[in-house]
Amino acid sequence: DTEVTQTPKHLVMGMTNKKSLKCEQHMGHRAMYWYKQKAKKPPELMFVYSYEKLSINESVPSRFSPECPNSSLLNLHLHALQPEDSALYLCASSQEGPGLAGGLSTYNEQFFGPGTRLTVL
Amino acid sequence: RKEVEQDPGPFNVPEGATVAFNCTYSNSASQSFFWYRQDCRKEPKLLMSVYSSGNEDGRFTAQLNRASQYISLLIRDSKLSDSATYLCVVILPLYNQGGKLIFGQGTELSVKP
């Protein structure tokens, strides 16, 4: 299985709703990522989990809350979003991620899921 | 200056043409380098990694020049199915945080019959 899956494919929510995006991989990868992509722009990194621990938070607003229940699953909980949060949300995984204890590290190539297209009304 | 810069697009070429994309990166400490391809409304997919010795995969050739901090992608005999946005990706090591992927803005390629 060389796939990253994401659900739902599409999501429309109001600004007062609470929803969750889900991501799953069964490649044994130990690093998982959330990206946000607006039209005609490259993906922007939001969060990195490495060995199930949050490793990088790119100063994302607290209305986005990531969760990594186990090494195969990654969730993104959404609450009180704004219309400007409408975008394609991409999950990715890689074999290795940042080291926990610091020092220089590199990622292997990342494999992306198909994304969730989110519209906030 | 952006950390990763790519040729502005779009590139409109006829089938069978050879097209070259260029990318420069600003941080000399950058490590692994990749080209990703992204079709409209789809996720990015890894096209190829880029090595200093250069690497080739069928009609695609990638080159890395560390001294000039320059990455290239050459597509020969372009097909209609090559139409997509090509993203140059660089891994920037961050001490005590591991590394992170930096994407270029992407170059749109349109191959016409």
Side-chain angles (χ1 to χ4, degrees):
Chain A
D1 186 353
T2 57
E3 236 189 355
V4 177
T5 59
Q6 288 186 245
T7 55
K9 284 189 169 24
H10 300 274
L11 178 61
V12 179
M13 59 187 289
M15 288 190 283
T16 57
N17 291 159
K18 282 186 182 180
K19 296 285 184 185
S20 296
L21 309 185
K22 296 187 184 302
C23 175
E24 191 166 4
Q25 57 87 14
H26 294 288
M27 294 180 276
H29 288 175
R30 303 315 303 266
M32 295 184 77
Y33 313 81
W34 280 115
Y35 289 86
K36 172 182 176 180
Q37 187 175 26
K38 302 283 265 186
K40 302 276 188 195
K41 298 286 187 185
E44 297 173 36
L45 183 66
M46 299 174 73
F47 302 104
V48 181
Y49 272 83
S50 181
Y51 294 88
E52 299 162 51
K53 292 193 188 315
L54 183 64
S55 172
I56 293 178
N57 176 341
E58 289 283 284
S59 303
V60 179
S62 59
R63 56 185 185 269
F64 295 92
S65 173
E67 178 199 17
C68 189
N70 60 56
S71 60
S72 300
L73 292 173
L74 186 66
N75 298 324
L76 185 63
H77 302 297
L78 314 172
H79 174 54
L81 294 196
Q82 304 296 311
E84 60 264 30
D85 296 323
S86 299
L88 179 67
Y89 287 84
L90 293 160
C91 173
S93 71
S94 65
Q95 190 171 342
E96 294 289 338
L100 291 175
L104 295 177
S105 178
T106 58
Y107 301 141
N108 293 344
E109 49 260 39
Q110 294 185 11
F111 297 87
F112 285 83
T116 293
R117 194 159 296 280
L118 174 68
T119 303
V120 182
L121 300 176
Chain B
R1 184 183 171 188
K2 290 181 183 164
E3 289 171 302
V4 179
E5 293 203 61
Q6 290 186 241
D7 281 350
F11 282 37
N12 297 304
V13 303
E15 265 188 295
T18 296
V19 60
F21 300 139
N22 302 316
C23 172
T24 56
Y25 58 95
S26 59
N27 192 319
S28 60
S30 298
Q31 297 187 14
S32 310
F33 308 89
F34 306 97
W35 283 100
Y36 277 75
R37 169 199 169 125
Q38 187 169 25
D39 292 281
C40 188
R41 302 182 71 81
K42 298 281 191 181
E43 74 274 21
K45 289 188 188 291
L46 179 67
L47 182 64
M48 55 200 307
S49 302
V50 189
Y51 307 113
S52 296
S53 53
N55 48 306
E56 188 173 313
D57 183 3
R59 298 181 292 109
F60 299 84
T61 301
Q63 294 275 355
L64 166 64
N65 184 322
R66 283 190 186 270
S68 303
Q69 295 180 198
Y70 171 91
I71 305 155
S72 66
L73 176 69
L74 186 74
I75 305 176
R76 289 180 299 278
D77 188 24
S78 47
K79 313 286 184 196
L80 296 176
S81 56
D82 293 334
S83 297
T85 295
Y86 290 82
L87 295 157
C88 175
V89 179
V90 168
I91 289 179
L92 185 66
L94 302 171
Y95 187 79
N96 215 36
Q97 294 181 56
K100 73 176 193 181
L101 258 63
I102 309 291
F103 285 84
Q105 290 297 306
T107 302
E108 187 180 339
L109 172 66
S110 180
V111 182
K112 306 290 188 188

